[in-house]
Amino acid sequence: MTSSGKKKTILFVCATGIATSTVVAEKTMEFLHDHGLDANYTQTNVASLPEYDQKDADLIVATTNVPYETEIPVIRALPLISGW
C-alpha cells in the first residue's frame, strides 16, 4: 500500500491473457505478500492493452512484447519464467 492508502493495481499481460501471465502473477503476488505488500491485479492479453489507461493500472508486467505506446510503465517479466 502507498502512503495515501490506495492499493496499486498491476496488469499482467501475455499473448493470450491466460498462461504465462498466470505464472508471473502468482510469483509476483507471492513475493508482494511475503514482503508485507498488497496490490490489486488483473490479467489480460496483449491485444486488449489499448483498452486500458492509467486509471485502470499503475504498472504493466508483460511476458510478451508490448507493441503499443502506453502511459502505464511496462516491465518485461519473461525472466521470472525463464530465469534469465
Side-chain angles (χ1 to χ4, degrees), residues 11-25:
L11 182 58
F12 293 96
V13 177
C14 69
T16 64
I18 299 169
T20 57
S21 62
T22 299
V23 173
V24 171

Side-chain angles (χ1 to χ4, degrees), residues 17-56:
I18 299 169
T20 57
S21 62
T22 299
V23 173
V24 171
E26 288 173 354
K27 286 185 176 191
T28 302
M29 298 311 289
E30 182 179 339
F31 177 86
L32 292 175
H33 176 76
D34 289 350
H35 289 84
L37 301 169
D38 194 17
N40 297 315
Y41 76 95
T42 302
Q43 288 176 238
T44 193
N45 59 58
V46 72
S48 298
L49 270 183
E51 299 172 20
Y52 292 87
D53 63 30
Q54 249 180 329
K55 70 179 182 345
D56 298 318

